[in-house]
Amino acid sequence: MAAVRELCKSLVQPILAVMIGLLTGAVVIAAVGESVVGTYQEMWKGAFGSFYFFTSTMARATPIMLIALGLALAFRAGVFNMGAEGQMVLGAISATLVAIYLPAPGIVKMLVGIIVGITVGGLWSLLAGYMEAKFRIPLLISTLLFNYIAVLFASYLVSDPFQDRTGSAALAQTVMLDKSAWLPKLFAGMSVHAGFFFAIAAALLLFWVIRFTPFGYEVKMLGQNPLFARYGGINQIKVMLTGMFASGGLAGLAGTVEVLGSHYRFVDGALTVPNFAWTGMMATLLANSNPIGIIFTSILLAAFQTGAMGVERNTEVPLEVASVIQAVLILFISAKFSYDWWKKRKVKGGESHGAA
């Protein structure tokens, strides 16, 4: 029952945020002279109106969910991992190169590529954690700046040494992966692939780890009360580094499944332009870092994006209406965090005054 109550509590905020977002979107739709009800019907059809659109939404939700789960673990440990984009890109380019050049059967290339993608994403995140532990370099700053290094380095790799020069377009991309190394599709002719199962399994696993394991207890204690965690004998650095590695590993897995299951090659900008990392962060915050709640918020945000494409196809409402709704969600989340921060500050101020 406690788990159900916690899940329901974590869903209250996203439901309110979505309602406010939809109301704001209705104002925008009315401003351009279109029917609000008709536009939202088209958005629903674009996201869930047919089996094809439904699977497209699930495919879109896959990288968002994996990134959100990684960020949730870091947030629960009380650390800010803002480097999911770089960890995703480095994991993806590493997995791609392994899948292309490893002299092995296709299934081996795929499995080793997944392991390498997770490992590289985790190590890139772990480096920022090590710098925090060793040199007191704030994670918020280092992980954010690491994004630029990772993305530009990957861009260089596919623009020069590993660029596919066989095509006439000379795009910044690698050669196509061998078909035997592709992740299998869940349904023939649809875009959703086995990576969606990985994301669901990761959510269930993370929920179990946080709720039923000693490591999960240490993560919660470290995030909720670092002072109590230290007095309780919890090794804060060990928990923080483990959490950072797992967080980066999930982001690396997100990039890897996108390459192995959707693009079949690394294309410069294909992972950064859709803003998977920032949408994943939004899914985490909307679900209050609850792994089960993240499944729903990731699908919801993916549905906004795929549904907006349907809206643009069939109405005069621009694609950006989804961006307006998402911006309202961010505003709502920011307001909640600011209010929580203000309350904590007020309580701390009251306590210190009383002690004095």
Side-chain angles (χ1 to χ4, degrees):
M1 287 302 294
V4 174
R5 280 200 300 271
E6 186 181 347
L7 176 60
C8 293
K9 186 179 177 182
S10 69
L11 291 177
V12 169
Q13 184 195 350
I15 290 173
L16 286 175
V18 169
M19 289 176 64
I20 296 173
L22 290 176
L23 286 173
T24 308
V27 173
V28 176
I29 293 167
V32 298
E34 287 287 331
S35 164
V36 174
V37 175
T39 300
Y40 279 140
Q41 284 178 340
E42 290 297 333
M43 181 175 283
W44 174 264
K45 291 177 184 175
F48 304 112
S50 68
F51 189 64
Y52 174 80
F53 291 137
F54 174 77
T55 56
S56 297
T57 300
M58 298 303 110
R60 186 83 173 187
T62 299
I64 296 172
M65 198 182 305
L66 286 168
I67 290 172
L69 291 169
L71 295 177
L73 181 61
F75 290 166
R76 278 183 173 267
V79 295
F80 289 93
N81 178 12
M82 305 292 284
E85 186 169 83
Q87 294 146 19
M88 172 182 63
V89 169
L90 271 192
I93 184 65
S94 304
T96 304
L97 295 179
V98 167
I100 292 173
Y101 295 105
L102 182 69
I107 184 67
V108 176
K109 288 183 176 183
M110 181 179 68
L111 294 176
V112 175
I114 291 172
I115 293 171
V116 169
I118 294 172
T119 305
V120 171
L123 290 176
W124 189 242
S125 176
L126 186 64
L127 177 60
Y130 174 79
M131 291 168 61
E132 160 81 18
K134 186 73 175 178
F135 305 110
R136 299 290 181 190
I137 299 176
L139 273 173
L140 185 66
I141 304 298
S142 61
T143 52
L144 198 60
L145 295 179
F146 273 17
N147 284 332
Y148 294 99
I149 300 173
V151 171
L152 293 174
F153 180 63
S155 179
Y156 160 73
L157 290 179
V158 297
S159 301
D160 192 15
F162 298 106
Q163 184 183 18
D164 177 16
R165 303 181 190 280
T166 58
S168 57
L171 297 174
Q173 60 186 17
T174 64
V175 297
M176 185 76 79
L177 303 180
D178 190 85
K179 195 170 183 178
S180 59
W182 295 3
L183 275 178
K185 297 290 187 186
L186 297 185
F187 306 99
M190 304 296 168
S191 55
V192 66
H193 49 75
F196 183 73
F197 279 156
F198 292 172
I200 297 294
L204 297 177
L205 178 63
L206 186 60
F207 178 79
W208 177 77
V209 167
I210 290 175
R211 190 152 191 86
F212 299 109
T213 67
F215 175 71
Y217 173 78
E218 292 177 348
V219 166
K220 281 198 293 187
M221 283 301 100
L222 185 60
Q224 293 175 358
N225 194 329
L227 189 62
F228 177 80
R230 187 162 60 246
Y231 277 112
I234 294 175
N235 188 330
Q236 293 178 289
I237 293 178
K238 179 184 174 185
V239 174
M240 185 268 285
L241 293 178
T242 306
M244 285 298 291
F245 179 81
S247 179
L250 284 167
L253 178 61
T256 300
V257 299
E258 272 298 286
V259 168
L260 299 181
S262 294
H263 305 153
Y264 310 125
R265 64 170 75 194
F266 186 93
V267 182
D268 189 27
L271 296 176
T272 54
V273 171
N275 282 326
F276 289 135
W278 299 109
T279 308
M281 181 176 294
M282 203 185 309
T284 302
L285 297 176
L286 271 175
N288 201 19
S289 300
N290 184 300
I292 304 300
I294 283 172
I295 296 176
F296 297 101
T297 56
S298 299
I299 294 174
L300 175 72
L301 293 174
F304 276 136
Q305 296 177 358
T306 54
M309 297 175 193
V311 169
E312 191 176 54
R313 280 195 302 269
N314 301 312
T315 70
E316 296 298 321
V317 179
L319 182 68
E320 285 72 18
V321 69
S323 301
V324 171
I325 295 174
Q326 289 191 5
V328 173
L329 297 184
I330 294 174
L331 187 64
F332 186 89
I333 294 168
S334 302
K336 178 183 180 298
F337 272 81
S338 300
Y339 178 68
D340 291 343
W341 174 83
W342 177 77
K343 277 203 309 183
K344 288 180 181 177
R345 184 181 175 86
K346 189 176 179 182
V347 169
K348 286 180 179 178
E351 286 174 351
S352 63
H353 179 74

